[in-house]
Amino acid sequence: MAGGWARDGAVNEQIEDSIKDELARMQAHRAPAGESLTHCADCGDPIPEARRLAVVGVKLCIDCQQEHDQHKTSRGGINRRGSKDSQLK
């Protein structure tokens, strides 16, 4: 049941679209794959063998990975309905 001017099933379509968007985002940022590098792709320092075995496909040393993780920005949710309340924030 949709409310207002929305057609029947519109809310379910919005939920499904949000789930599809989130899955696509997660797949784009999933863990590295393939063969691990022996040296860091950023600084060139050797990557310890224990790290290469623990994280398959690792490309960065621990220091560079920590720096990379600190620069990640959180993203806001998507309000597909565009309610008046959400536009005031």
Side-chain angles (χ1 to χ4, degrees), residues 14-26:
Q14 290 171 353
I15 293 169
E16 290 170 6
D17 287 342
S18 295
I19 291 170
K20 287 177 188 176
D21 290 347
E22 186 64 19
L23 287 174
R25 187 190 68 81
M26 289 174 61

Side-chain angles (χ1 to χ4, degrees), residues 26-85:
M26 289 174 61
Q27 289 174 349
H29 298 302
R30 66 182 168 190
E35 190 174 337
S36 296
L37 296 179
T38 57
H39 289 79
C40 179
D42 282 354
C43 68
D45 288 348
I47 299 174
E49 184 178 359
R51 177 166 170 74
R52 286 184 281 146
L53 294 174
V55 183
V56 178
V58 69
K59 308 288 188 226
L60 302 174
C61 66
I62 294 173
D63 292 336
C64 291
Q65 185 66 54
Q66 286 175 343
E67 185 176 331
H68 182 263
D69 290 344
Q70 288 176 353
H71 293 296
K72 285 187 178 180
T73 58
S74 62
R75 60 177 193 83
I78 299 173
N79 184 354
R80 295 182 184 277
R81 295 183 76 180
S83 68
K84 199 181 339 177
D85 290 341

